[in-house]
Amino acid sequence: KITMPCCQNEWADRRSCHPAGLDQQMERNMGESVPSRIDHDTQAYWQGLKERKLMIARCRDCGHWIHPPRACCPVCWSDEIGHEEPSGKATLFSYLLQPIEQGGAPLVVGWAELSEQDRLFVIAPIEGASAETVSIGEPLRLEWVETGSGPQPAFRQVVVGA
């Protein structure tokens, strides 16, 4: 069962913040990689994934990268937002170990900080990494993995000096 942060308070009235059936819809969508609603702000990102391109929103006025995509720049408030493909170079900022199946090795899911800007994160699996080999601060590079719903971004550890 999914619990939303707004519903965890005793005073929260779930009916005021969640339309009927939202919990069931969210649970159905958890296994999907593409959201059920693609809008003007996210369309370029999701289309880019289909083409194996990581298209990140970027302000045309001040150059600030914006992810997840949104309608206006959080720095200068401009609504002149374009989309660009970053270099694919990143540093591992943080990670979690996601259990997959009982007795199996957990999936390493990382917060990859893209080299284009401080605190520009993409959350994705770290391919080939394990609890024993992953290290915060290590360099990563963008890769793509095929899933049932199409290509998805992932990262791989970069061997320094190779």
Side-chain angles (χ1 to χ4, degrees), residues 10-78:
E10 291 179 38
W11 52 266
D13 179 1
R14 289 178 55 84
R15 291 169 297 187
S16 67
C17 60
H18 296 274
L22 180 63
D23 288 343
Q24 292 81 15
Q25 179 184 351
M26 288 175 62
E27 286 176 7
R28 279 194 308 274
N29 290 343
M30 288 299 287
E32 297 179 10
S33 296
V34 177
S36 57
R37 189 184 113 207
I38 298 175
D39 62 24
H40 172 75
D41 302 322
T42 63
Q43 183 177 9
Y45 174 79
W46 294 109
Q47 182 61 40
L49 293 186
K50 290 180 185 177
E51 300 168 7
R52 293 179 169 258
K53 294 180 179 179
L54 185 60
M55 300 304 290
I56 304 291
R58 190 167 191 193
C59 178
R60 290 184 179 133
D61 287 338
C62 74
H64 185 78
W65 295 84
I66 307 162
H67 190 72
R70 57 187 111 167
C72 71
C73 177
V75 173
C76 73
W77 297 98
S78 170

Side-chain angles (χ1 to χ4, degrees), residues 48-129:
L49 293 186
K50 290 180 185 177
E51 300 168 7
R52 293 179 169 258
K53 294 180 179 179
L54 185 60
M55 300 304 290
I56 304 291
R58 190 167 191 193
C59 178
R60 290 184 179 133
D61 287 338
C62 74
H64 185 78
W65 295 84
I66 307 162
H67 190 72
R70 57 187 111 167
C72 71
C73 177
V75 173
C76 73
W77 297 98
S78 170
D79 62 357
E80 292 296 320
I81 306 298
H83 293 82
E84 294 181 26
E85 191 173 7
S87 67
K89 295 177 184 175
T91 302
L92 186 60
F93 180 82
S94 186
Y95 68 93
L96 64 88
L97 302 175
Q98 176 66 48
I100 300 298
E101 57 188 56
Q102 191 168 354
L107 175 67
V108 179
V109 179
W111 281 40
E113 184 175 30
L114 300 180
S115 63
E116 280 72 13
Q117 175 180 292
D118 286 345
R119 305 298 186 251
L120 177 61
F121 299 112
V122 173
I123 300 171
I126 309 299
E127 292 294 305

